[in-house]
């Protein structure tokens, strides 16, 4: 039990940073002081139910996810969608840190104006449905279903609908230095099978 409680602080910090929220933002949302939040994240304060309930709600996770409760034998994943910047984010990974996987849905509507942002990390995207407009540095392009892209997120980037229809895509995001490693099926011995 002590190990589970010790892991709460780093998990809280990872969830807050994933949401790109400051301690002041979280304090305003939960009613918990910045000082208490900081001490919880650093492990200097032991978490209580009264503190964990508003934090779980603010982060959009269950208490079980927050304290990394042992599995119950139920293999189902209960996705908790979060709406950020007009996009629905469905987290597909359940642990803080490491590479994070998301399914993102941009609902149908008018295309929006690009507002490129940069931050630490590396991202890989794969379009499932619709057309995804991507601005990466000085370049812009449209991705269609079945297309993938990967880039260093320190390059200013933005993505949105290419038209009015909705877009669905998968995203793998890792902190700087963490990249998705994709392996291709090895070539059959003897080359491509062409005769010469």
């Amino acid at each position: 039990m002590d190990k589970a409680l010790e892991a709460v602080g780093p998990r809280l910090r990872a969830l807050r940073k994933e949401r790109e929220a400051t301690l002041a933002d979280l304090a305003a949302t939960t009613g918990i002081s910045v000082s208490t939040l900081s001490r919880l994240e650093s492990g200097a304060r032991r978490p209580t139910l009264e503190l964990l309930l508003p934090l779980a709600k603010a982060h959009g996770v269950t208490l079980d996810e927050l304290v990394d409760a042992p599995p119950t034998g139920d293999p189902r994943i209960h996705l908790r969608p979060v709406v950020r910047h007009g996009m629905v984010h469905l987290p597909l990974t359940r642990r803080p840190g490491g590479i994070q996987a998301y399914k993102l849905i941009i609902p149908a509507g008018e295309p929006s104006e690009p507002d490129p942002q940069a931050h630490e990390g590396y991202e890989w995207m794969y379009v499932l449905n619709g057309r995804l407009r991507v601005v990466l540095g000085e370049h812009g392009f449209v991705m269609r279903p079945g297309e993938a892209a990967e880039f260093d997120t320190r390059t200013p980037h933005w993505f949105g609908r290419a038209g009015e229809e909705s877009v669905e895509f998968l995203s793998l995001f890792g902190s700087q230095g963490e990249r998705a490693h994709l392996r291709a099926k090895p070539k059959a011995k003897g080359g491509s099978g062409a005769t010469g």
Side-chain angles (χ1 to χ4, degrees):
M1 184 149 126
D2 285 339
K3 280 191 176 193
L5 290 176
E6 287 170 12
V8 170
R11 194 170 298 106
L12 286 170
R13 180 176 287 118
L15 286 167
R16 179 176 57 80
K17 290 191 181 257
E18 180 183 306
R19 291 180 53 229
E20 299 176 5
T22 64
L23 287 171
D25 295 335
L26 194 55
T29 303
T30 62
I32 300 170
S33 73
V34 169
S35 171
T36 298
L37 291 170
S38 177
R39 290 175 41 229
L40 279 170
E41 286 187 1
S42 69
R45 174 149 185 182
R46 196 169 174 94
T48 64
L49 189 58
E50 290 79 18
L51 295 171
L52 292 176
L53 284 171
L55 286 167
K57 183 177 181 183
H59 290 306
V61 298
T62 65
L63 275 176
D64 283 352
E65 291 168 313
L66 200 57
V67 299
D68 198 23
T72 61
D74 184 349
R76 293 175 292 179
I77 297 173
H78 303 285
L79 303 176
R80 300 250 177 183
V82 176
V83 177
R84 273 189 229 137
H85 310 293
M87 286 186 260
V88 178
H89 296 241
L90 289 163
L92 302 175
T93 48
R94 296 174 48 144
R95 60 181 169 75
I99 293 179
Q100 300 293 310
Y102 298 91
K103 178 178 180 184
L104 290 101
I105 302 165
I106 305 174
E110 291 292 319
S112 53
E113 278 300 309
D115 181 23
Q117 302 290 317
H119 52 86
E120 288 291 319
Y122 203 85
E123 187 156 3
W124 177 88
M125 300 183 322
Y126 178 84
V127 178
L128 298 167
N129 292 304
R131 295 180 309 131
L132 182 68
R133 179 177 175 206
V134 179
V135 174
L136 187 57
E138 299 296 317
H139 306 285
F141 51 93
V142 174
M143 295 175 61
R144 290 172 172 70
E147 292 184 320
E150 62 179 321
F151 57 92
D152 186 321
T153 58
R154 291 178 295 183
T155 302
H157 59 283
W158 174 91
F159 36 87
R161 288 180 297 276
E164 293 184 3
E165 73 275 4
S166 65
V167 182
E168 295 181 25
F169 61 102
L170 298 177
S171 170
L172 297 179
F173 175 78
S175 58
Q176 200 57 42
E178 290 186 300
R179 295 176 63 172
H181 297 284
L182 305 176
R183 300 194 196 286
K185 184 177 177 183
K187 289 183 181 179
K189 291 191 181 199
S192 64
T195 58

